[in-house]
Amino acid sequence: MLTYTIRRLILSIPTLLFIALVIFLLLQLAPGDPMAQVPLTVPPEVKEKMREALGLGAPWYVQFWKWLVQFFWIEPKVFIDYLTNSSTLFGWLPDTELYTKCGAGALEDCDLRMRSWQTRSPVMDLVLQRLPQTLWVVGLAYVVAFFIAIPIGIYSAYKQYSKFDQAGTFITMIGFSIPPFFTGPLLIVIFSVYLGWFPSIYDTTLEVNSWASFKKQLAQMIMPVMVLALQVTAQISRFMRASMLDNLKQDYVRTARAKGLSERVVVLVHVLRNSMIAVVTVIALAIPGIFGGSIITERVFKVNGIGDALIGALFASDMPMVMTLTFIFAILIVLANIFADVMYGVLDPRIRYD
Amino acid sequence: MTDDQEIVPIEALSDNTTLPPHRSQGQEIWLQFRQHKGAMFGGFILAFITLAVLFGSLIWQVDPGKLDIRSKDWRPIYTLIWNGDVKAGWAHPFGTDQLGRDGLANMLAGGRTSLAVGWAAMLLSLFLGAGIGVLAGYFKKLDGPLMRMTDLFLSLPVLPLLLVAVTLFRQPLRANFGPEGGMFILIVGVIGITSWMHTARIVRGDVLALKEREFVLAARSAGTTSKGIITRHLLPNVISPIVVSATFGLATAIITESSLSFLGVGFPSDFPTWGKMLADAVPRMQEFPERVMLPGVAISLTVLAVNYLGDGLRDALDPRIRGR
C-alpha cells in the first residue's frame, strides 16, 4: 500500500510539471505588457532596468526555470525555516537557517523570493494566509456532503422506486442543476436578510478562542459550506444509488443472504463497501468542479480564500500571483486524485496487487 | 401438386399468440423515452425555452438595451397581486432594472446568448471528444499518448484556467471580431477545449470493445479502409453515448458561461446574459429579489431540463434497460 502511494506520488510529478508549463505558456502567450501600469514619467532607461529586474527580457524557458526554482527550492526552504522557528508544532526542533535573506549586510548568494506585484510581499506568504480558509470550506463541504449523501443513496437504492427514492432523485437533480452563484445569494436573502440567523459576510479576523467565538465561526461557516455541499451531495448520492443498485443484483449478495446473514450486515457491510468504489470515482471527477465552485462561493460570501485572491490578482494583472495560485489549484486537484487512487486501493484489493 | 397447400407447422412450433407488430429502433427508443416522465417534461421545457429565446423577440419587440430612466425600477406584474400600489404594469411584465431596461426583453436576449454559447461549446467539445476517443480507441499507437493527454486535462483546474484565459485574451479577440463576436469565440473556445475529456473516455471505451467484433473484422476483410470503418461502422454504433454526454455537456457549458459572467469576465456590460443579469442584481437583491430570481430560475430550469432529458435519453438508448 505504501509503495503504491509513493509510486502514485512520484508519477504525479510529470503531470504537475506539465500543468505548470501549460499555465506558464498561457501567461506568456497572453498579450499585454506587465509594465503597462508604470507611470509615463519614469524615464525609459529606468523602465529597462525594472524590466530586467522582473526578468522580462529573458527567454521563456529561463523564466520558467526560475519560477520552478522559486516554487520547489526556495519556498520550501522558507517554509522549513518557519516550521522550526516559530510554529508550535515543530518549534522544539533546532532552528534551520536554510534561507538567506537579501538586503543590507547580506552575503553574496542570497535567495530572492517571488513577490506579488500588487502588495510587494512574497507570493507564498499571501497564499499561506489564504489557503486554510479555502481548505476548511471545501473540506467541510465534502464531509457534510458525505454524511448526507451516503444514507440517502443507500436507502433510495434499497427501496428503489419508492416515494423516498423518487423524492430523493428529484432533489438531487435540483441540487445538481442549481449553480452555486444562484444558491449563494438565495441563501443570503433567506437566512441573513429575512431570518437573520447567519451573517452574510465571512469574518476572517475572527479568532476562535472561546465558546462564543466558536459559535460565531460555526454560524458564518454554515452557508458557504452548505452551498458547496449541495453540489457534492447531489453527485455523490446519485452515484451511490446507481452503484448500490448494480451491486444489489450481484450473486454474492444472494450468497450472503443464503448463508443467513442479517439484512443489515448484507447491505451495510457487503454491498456498501463495494459500492463505495463508485463514490471514490466521484471524488476524483468532481474535484475540479468543486474548486471552481469554491471560487464562486468565496466571491459570494467574501471568504478570503485563494479563489478570491485569484480573482483579485487577475483583475490587477498580478502575474506571479495568478501563476502561483493557478498552480496551487492544480496541486490540490492532483493530490485529491491521488487520494482517490489510494482509496481505490484500500477498497479494492485487486488494484493494490498490480 | 403440393405447392398450393399451405404448410402447417407442427403444433409445438406454431405461435399461440400473435406476434407484436414490428417496431423500428427509432420507435423502440421513442416508446421507452415516453415512459420517462421527467425526460418528457425536460424535453418540453427545453423546447419551450429555446423557442422563446429564438422567436420571443418577434412577439415582444422591445429593444433590450433601450434606456427609459422615467420608468426605472418597475416590479414584475405579479407583485400587483399582493400590493396594489407598486410600480408595475403590462408595459413591462418582468419589471425594469435601475436604468429602465425592460426585464422581459433582457431575459430573452440573455437567454439567446446563454443557450447559443451552451450549444456551440457543447458541439465543439463533442467534436473534440468523439474525435480523440475514436482515434485513441481505434489506433493502438495513438492510445497511450492521447489517453495520457486526457488524464492531464482531467487534472487541470478548469475554472481558474478559464478565468485566466478569458481575461488575458479578451483584448486581441475583441479587436479582431468585435466586442461580442470576440467574446463569443473566446468563451466557446475555452469551454470546448476544457470539457471534452469525459466524452473521449466513454467513446474510447466503446470503440475498444466494438473494434474486436465480427462485423468490423468482416468490413476489414472486405477491404474497407480505416476511414471507412470508422465513419460507417464505428461512429454510428457509438452515437448513443455521444448523445447522452452531449446533454450533460450542454448543461455544464451553460453553467460555466454563467459562472464566468457572474465573476465579471464574460460578455461586455451592455450585452445581457443570464449570468450577468444575476450578478448585476445581487447588490440590490433585498429590494428587488425578482431580478436575482428570474435569471437564476431560468438558468436552473434550463439545466434541470437538460439533465432530465439526458437521463431519459440514457435509459432510452440503452438496449439493456429498454422494454423493462
Side-chain angles (χ1 to χ4, degrees):
Chain A
M1 202 65 234
L2 188 67
T3 47
Y4 176 71
T5 314
I6 292 171
R7 201 172 65 204
R8 287 290 293 121
L9 278 173
I10 292 172
L11 277 178
S12 72
I13 292 172
T15 313
L16 281 174
L17 283 179
F18 174 78
I19 293 175
L21 187 66
V22 167
I23 303 167
F24 188 80
L25 288 182
L26 194 67
L27 294 182
Q28 283 286 310
L29 282 176
D33 186 6
M35 302 287 293
Q37 303 290 323
V38 175
L40 291 172
T41 46
V42 176
E45 62 267 20
V46 177
K47 250 188 187 170
E48 202 47 51
K49 275 197 177 159
M50 286 168 78
R51 199 174 280 279
E52 242 169 63
L54 288 172
L56 288 172
W60 68 267
Y61 48 87
V62 174
Q63 292 189 36
F64 184 55
W65 173 249
K66 280 187 173 168
W67 185 83
L68 285 180
V69 168
Q70 279 289 334
F71 198 89
F72 289 107
W73 182 241
I74 297 178
E75 294 302 337
K77 283 207 279 191
V78 177
F79 188 64
I80 291 170
D81 277 358
Y82 160 77
L83 280 184
T84 51
N85 273 333
S86 38
S87 73
T88 46
L89 198 58
F90 293 104
W92 49 272
L93 283 169
D95 281 3
T96 46
E97 300 276 328
L98 296 171
Y99 168 70
T100 39
K101 242 186 184 156
C102 284
L107 297 167
E108 193 64 33
D109 47 345
C110 62
D111 297 323
L112 285 165
R113 292 183 74 186
M114 183 169 35
R115 280 170 193 276
S116 155
W117 292 352
Q118 278 178 101
T119 60
R120 298 280 142 205
S121 63
V123 169
M124 280 314 267
D125 288 2
L126 294 172
V127 171
L128 284 182
Q129 280 166 14
R130 283 160 171 265
L131 198 56
Q133 283 88 295
T134 301
L135 290 183
W136 267 112
V137 171
V138 172
L140 271 183
Y142 256 102
V143 172
V144 168
F146 215 72
F147 281 105
I148 300 174
I150 299 289
I152 292 179
I154 294 172
Y155 194 72
S156 44
Y158 193 65
K159 304 258 173 194
Q160 197 189 2
Y161 301 132
S162 64
K163 282 265 148 36
F164 181 87
D165 180 28
Q166 272 160 4
T169 312
F170 182 66
I171 291 170
T172 50
M173 227 17 171
I174 288 183
F176 205 57
S177 308
I178 300 187
F181 54 83
F182 183 40
T183 37
L186 212 59
L187 287 187
I188 289 184
V189 166
I190 296 172
F191 290 107
S192 2
V193 178
Y194 289 125
L195 297 174
W197 290 355
F198 311 123
S200 71
I201 292 176
Y202 189 95
D203 177 12
T204 34
T205 55
L206 187 71
E207 271 180 46
V208 181
N209 46 20
S210 64
W211 182 243
S213 63
F214 177 73
K215 272 204 294 198
K216 243 185 179 171
Q217 174 73 11
L218 208 63
Q220 68 179 2
M221 289 284 273
I222 284 179
M223 284 204 295
V225 167
M226 284 319 282
V227 166
L228 273 183
L230 182 69
Q231 247 187 332
V232 195
T233 310
Q235 281 174 329
I236 293 183
S237 68
R238 272 167 68 89
F239 269 70
M240 190 70 204
R241 175 177 177 272
S243 146
M244 285 287 288
L245 281 177
D246 278 353
N247 275 299
L248 278 169
K249 290 194 201 98
Q250 300 274 320
D251 290 339
Y252 73 84
V253 179
R254 199 182 306 126
T255 313
R257 283 187 181 135
K259 74 180 181 188
L261 290 180
S262 69
E263 200 61 15
R264 197 187 165 78
V265 175
V266 171
V267 175
L268 291 184
V269 177
H270 289 231
V271 180
L272 182 63
R273 176 164 172 176
N274 282 292
S275 312
M276 289 298 278
I277 297 171
V279 175
V280 173
T281 316
V282 192
I283 296 179
L285 287 181
I287 273 284
I290 296 309
F291 280 111
S294 82
I295 296 182
I296 292 167
T297 318
E298 283 171 14
R299 204 70 186 156
V300 170
F301 293 101
K302 308 195 170 50
V303 183
N304 68 342
I306 52 173
D308 190 56
L310 177 69
I311 305 247
L314 262 179
F315 287 152
S317 49
D318 178 3
M319 287 310 146
M321 195 82 181
V322 171
M323 170 87 201
T324 311
L325 283 173
T326 322
F327 189 60
I328 296 256
F329 272 113
I331 291 181
L332 290 175
I333 290 170
V334 169
L335 282 181
N337 279 333
I338 292 175
F339 174 74
D341 277 353
V342 173
M343 286 305 292
Y344 272 134
V346 171
L347 289 168
D348 189 348
R350 282 170 304 180
I351 294 173
R352 236 178 297 166
Y353 297 132
D354 271 359
Chain B
M1 300 294 276
T2 51
D3 282 1
D4 301 339
Q5 270 179 329
E6 202 174 321
I7 302 164
V8 182
I10 43 175
E11 203 174 343
L13 291 178
S14 62
D15 292 318
N16 296 325
T17 51
T18 49
L19 283 170
H22 175 73
R23 288 194 294 252
S24 71
Q25 199 185 0
Q27 283 170 321
E28 288 276 358
I29 291 171
W30 173 239
L31 276 176
Q32 175 68 32
F33 184 73
R34 259 195 347 205
Q35 286 179 5
H36 198 302
K37 284 200 198 76
M40 285 299 284
F41 190 67
F44 181 73
I45 298 268
L46 184 66
F48 174 75
I49 291 178
T50 313
L51 288 178
V53 300
L54 279 182
F55 302 111
S57 55
L58 298 178
I59 299 165
W60 188 253
Q61 291 173 328
V62 178
D63 179 13
K66 183 172 166 273
L67 304 181
D68 182 6
I69 206 74
R70 275 166 216 274
S71 54
K72 66 169 185 173
D73 289 340
W74 277 36
R75 306 302 301 271
I77 189 84
Y78 56 79
T79 42
L80 285 173
I81 298 171
W82 62 82
N83 186 353
D85 2 296
V86 288
K87 277 199 295 181
W90 286 109
H92 302 289
F94 280 17
T96 55
D97 66 2
Q98 70 275 19
L99 296 172
R101 289 176 294 195
D102 183 63
L104 179 56
N106 268 293
M107 284 290 287
L108 293 175
R112 206 176 309 140
T113 321
S114 295
L115 284 184
V117 169
W119 278 99
M122 181 269 275
L123 287 177
L124 178 64
S125 84
L126 212 61
F127 181 72
L128 283 173
I132 289 173
V134 166
L135 288 180
Y138 190 77
F139 298 105
K140 224 177 211 142
K141 266 187 198 155
L142 290 176
D143 192 18
L146 281 180
M147 278 301 111
R148 186 59 55 79
M149 189 174 83
T150 311
D151 286 346
L152 281 174
F153 266 84
L154 271 176
S155 47
L156 282 180
V158 174
L159 195 65
L161 271 188
L162 285 180
L163 288 171
V164 172
V166 171
T167 22
L168 295 179
F169 292 94
R170 176 194 299 245
Q171 286 307 329
L173 279 167
R174 284 181 73 163
N176 288 335
F177 300 99
E180 283 108 42
M183 270 329 270
F184 185 82
I185 293 173
L186 181 59
I187 290 185
V188 166
V190 288
I191 295 179
I193 288 170
T194 49
S195 61
W196 51 267
M197 293 82 73
H198 296 290
T199 318
R201 279 188 152 185
I202 297 168
V203 169
R204 170 186 171 263
D206 280 14
V207 168
L208 273 181
L210 280 171
K211 187 169 79 160
E212 307 298 329
R213 298 268 290 274
E214 286 80 4
F215 70 92
V216 177
L217 188 66
R220 192 175 294 132
S221 56
T224 321
T225 56
S226 291
K227 191 182 152 210
I229 291 179
I230 288 174
T231 50
R232 278 215 300 275
H233 298 282
L234 292 180
L235 274 180
N237 276 302
V238 292
I239 207 79
S240 57
I242 292 182
V243 167
V244 173
S245 67
T247 55
F248 296 115
L250 179 60
T252 336
I254 291 175
I255 287 198
T256 314
E257 185 274 323
S258 309
S259 313
L260 288 178
S261 296
F262 181 82
L263 292 171
V265 296
F267 284 92
S269 53
D270 54 344
F271 197 68
T273 74
W274 284 340
K276 197 149 50 47
M277 290 170 72
L278 204 162
D280 291 346
V282 164
R284 294 179 73 193
M285 66 185 166
Q286 294 179 34
E287 301 105 88
F288 303 103
E290 70 272 5
R291 288 188 206 154
V292 173
M293 292 300 289
L294 286 173
V297 167
I299 296 170
S300 310
L301 202 62
T302 314
V303 174
L304 187 68
V306 172
N307 277 336
Y308 261 117
L309 189 68
D311 236 27
L313 277 176
R314 185 172 52 197
D315 287 359
L317 290 170
D318 189 347
R320 285 172 302 175
I321 296 177
R322 207 186 296 152
R324 275 204 299 170

